[in-house]
Amino acid sequence: MANRMWGGRFGEKPDEILEEINASIDFDRALYAQDIAGSKAHVSMLAKQGIIGAEDADKIARGLDTILSEIEGGKFKFTRALEDIHTHVEARLAELIGPAAGRLHTARSRNDQVATDTRLYVRDAIDRLDKALAGLQHALAEKALAHAATVMPGFTHLQTAQPVTFGHHLLAYVEMLARDRGRLADARKRLNESPLGAAALAGTSFPIDRDMTAKALGFDRPAANSLDAVSDRDFALETLAAAAIAAVHLSRFAEEIVIWASPSFGLVKLSDRFTTGSSIMPQKRNPDAAELVRAKPGRIVGALVQLLIVMKGLPLAYAKDMQEDKEGLFDALSTLALMIAATEGIVRDLETDEKRMKAAAGEGYSTATDLADFLVQKLAMPFREAHEITGKIVSHAAANEKPLHRLSLAEMQGIDKRIPQDALSVLSVARSVASRTSYGGTAPKNVRAAARKWLKRLGK
Ligand code: ARG
């Protein structure tokens, strides 16, 4: 038999290979709730506009409710022969209520239907991601407050640069995640227009009320151009771009965790709950969760690139190519959710080795800048000159295999006799971080205030 939904002009049934390449039900079944919600909004609009009778509309709405509970109860039968979620719902509706089911698709096409469903799906996903990101920010801000004065090495080029506080480092991610939430919120704002009623591509001759369906589905307004409404996927691209950036942020943090937890660094300890053992080396504690957070962005960036390539050069309006928007998109959104959940778990359980952190913070002549700054302030020396003198002091310390704070005043004065006694006091890491009180700086006082501000803003 030819396809029940569109088989009127077809004599032969579809080839098996066509069915395999064409059917999207294996993945677009994820849209069932949005599809049914869209159909319910559509049918009550059709009835209110007098396009279909109230009795039929009622039957359709009740049938749709039954289908929803069948799907949610795992009792619904999916088959590739029925192509996609839209045809599945309609075919089942016909089984349940008979010919009245055939009125549901009046003044609508699968083109505006799938665009509507996908927007609703992405909107829900954005709302969940926003909540999850806020939860992660909260976990980071709490840790940051607890570690406002914990010193650790700050790196540039992954070389010890200057001491920073662990809380300050964590709050850097809170800022990044705030921008990620902002990008997702922007995408949500732009995507929240209803394609429903654009029909196949040209609109419809039926007296539909697009404002009514838009409102019923929580959209801000109907999309203004029917061609654009069915062919736009930039809402998905924009969301994927925002998701990719967020994923990249999480991967940077994950990589830092992996480095810090390596015994050669030994700055943090991960919990048993987020590490695994080795089947051969009994001593191992592997940071698998962090490693996977580090690796997962490939899927999300991949989904973005894949959809960009699908859309590139695609003529208006709908083309079946666009069915390829879904698998990568769905996978990307759930992957990001999993990455956020794993990162939050890692952060909440994370323990620090403060002794190691402090010792590492003082390695590599990390307070050399403090000495140079001190010479500038104390002796009114130009910074370049102070930099030169400090460089010589560092070189002397290195030649004698000593850290800066183990140098005597006599040794320093051997390099420049103007160096005063209290120069020794600026060489400690605690003093170094405490002095960084400029706006946005790493001083414990700043970090405490910033962490409190975030915790207040995030609630709880
Ligand atoms: N499964 C299709 C998709 O996801 C639905 C739209 C089909 N439209 C069509 N004209 N065949 O894109």
Side-chain angles (χ1 to χ4, degrees):
M1 188 194 66
N3 186 291
R4 273 192 269 179
M5 296 295 141
W6 44 254
R9 60 161 295 182
F10 288 79
E12 266 188 278
K13 77 185 194 52
D15 192 274
E16 254 176 58
I17 295 295
L18 170 76
E19 211 160 87
E20 192 177 335
I21 195 169
N22 194 35
S24 53
I25 189 59
D26 293 345
F27 46 88
D28 70 15
R29 55 199 278 182
L31 295 173
Y32 76 88
Q34 290 78 9
D35 195 69
I36 289 171
S39 287
K40 286 188 75 173
H42 185 64
V43 81
S44 39
M45 183 278 292
L46 292 177
K48 191 199 126 232
Q49 297 298 97
I51 299 168
I52 70 171
E55 216 175 287
D56 282 345
D58 220 51
K59 267 198 216 163
I60 292 172
R62 271 184 286 127
L64 289 169
D65 285 338
T66 305
I67 294 170
L68 183 66
S69 56
E70 285 178 353
I71 296 177
E72 288 186 335
K75 288 192 286 258
F76 192 90
K77 231 183 104 254
F78 293 98
T79 156
R80 281 203 178 152
L82 277 175
E83 244 182 277
D84 60 25
I85 186 64
H86 325 294
T87 40
H88 271 80
V89 171
E90 203 182 322
R92 179 67 184 140
L93 191 64
E95 285 173 7
L96 288 172
I97 69 167
R103 299 193 187 280
L104 170 60
H105 214 52
T106 314
R108 178 179 87 167
S109 149
R110 275 188 292 160
N111 298 349
D112 58 338
Q113 196 178 349
V114 74
T116 304
D117 295 0
T118 312
R119 281 181 192 241
L120 291 174
Y121 182 97
V122 172
R123 193 178 72 187
D124 290 348
I126 289 176
D127 291 344
R128 281 195 301 273
L129 288 171
D130 183 67
K131 244 196 177 151
L133 286 167
L136 175 54
Q137 282 183 301
H138 192 271
L140 287 163
E142 270 189 340
K143 256 294 143 158
L145 186 58
H147 289 284
T150 305
V151 279
M152 67 176 281
F155 302 97
T156 60
H157 314 263
L158 199 56
Q159 305 291 313
T160 307
Q162 292 175 351
V164 295
T165 50
F166 186 49
H168 195 54
H169 197 114
L170 295 175
L171 288 180
Y173 285 96
V174 175
E175 299 288 339
M176 287 178 238
L177 297 179
R179 294 193 295 277
D180 293 330
R181 291 177 66 195
R183 271 182 284 272
L184 287 168
D186 274 354
R188 189 195 196 283
K189 219 181 287 164
R190 261 185 295 280
L191 77 72
N192 207 29
E193 293 189 346
S194 173
L196 196 58
L201 76 165
T204 175
S205 57
F206 290 99
I208 59 170
D209 181 348
R210 291 191 60 204
D211 287 297
M212 180 179 168
T213 46
K215 191 160 170 229
L217 295 169
F219 287 113
D220 295 329
R221 65 193 79 82
N225 179 298
S226 62
L227 291 164
D228 178 45
V230 295
S231 67
D232 157 43
R233 290 294 180 276
D234 60 47
F235 72 89
L237 290 172
E238 190 177 357
T239 305
L240 282 171
I245 295 171
V248 165
H249 284 157
L250 296 182
S251 83
R252 295 182 74 177
F253 186 55
E255 165 68 349
E256 297 197 312
I257 299 274
V258 171
I259 292 173
W260 297 340
S262 161
S264 306
F265 275 71
L267 304 183
V268 302
K269 189 174 160 244
L270 303 175
S271 71
D272 289 354
R273 295 169 2 121
F274 286 94
T275 46
T276 62
S278 157
S279 52
I280 170 168
M281 298 165 283
Q283 86 285 8
K284 287 296 285 291
R285 176 192 281 279
N286 295 328
D288 294 38
E291 292 170 86
L292 287 162
V293 171
R294 181 172 66 183
K296 295 269 185 202
R299 303 166 75 116
I300 303 175
V301 175
L304 170 62
V305 172
Q306 182 248 348
L307 184 55
L308 282 166
I309 292 170
V310 167
M311 296 310 293
K312 185 210 160 286
L314 204 61
L316 303 189
Y318 178 82
K320 199 58 172 265
D321 308 52
M322 288 156 70
Q323 179 167 285
E324 287 289 309
D325 62 355
K326 291 176 199 59
E327 283 167 286
L329 177 64
F330 296 169
D331 179 70
L333 297 171
S334 55
T335 295
L336 181 57
L338 183 58
M339 290 173 68
I340 298 167
T343 308
E344 181 172 340
I346 292 169
V347 170
R348 289 209 183 275
D349 284 8
L350 193 72
E351 283 175 33
T352 51
D353 184 334
E354 294 179 27
K355 253 177 82 185
R356 286 281 294 224
M357 278 186 161
K358 192 170 174 196
E363 283 165 14
Y365 308 103
S366 66
T367 54
T369 317
D370 295 87
L371 180 57
D373 288 350
F374 172 84
L375 297 179
V376 168
Q377 279 158 9
K378 195 78 178 190
L379 307 175
M381 198 181 268
F383 181 75
R384 277 289 150 243
E385 191 184 345
H387 186 286
E388 171 80 19
I389 292 168
T390 308
K392 285 186 180 142
I393 293 174
V394 167
S395 154
H396 172 88
N400 291 279
E401 289 176 24
K402 282 185 187 175
L404 278 185
H405 64 272
R406 292 259 180 282
L407 293 180
S408 66
L409 184 62
E411 278 176 290
M412 289 207 214
Q413 287 178 337
I415 287 155
D416 191 299
K417 55 180 182 320
R418 290 172 293 173
I419 293 181
Q421 161 96 51
D422 45 352
L424 296 174
S425 72
V426 303
L427 298 174
S428 89
V429 291
R431 164 83 190 248
S432 171
V433 294
S435 72
R436 298 279 193 274
T437 52
S438 58
Y439 180 75
T442 198
K445 184 174 130 219
N446 291 23
V447 173
R448 243 172 248 121
R452 287 207 179 96
K453 183 202 77 182
W454 273 114
L455 287 171
K456 197 166 149 207
R457 202 190 284 181
L458 293 163
K460 286 187 283 184

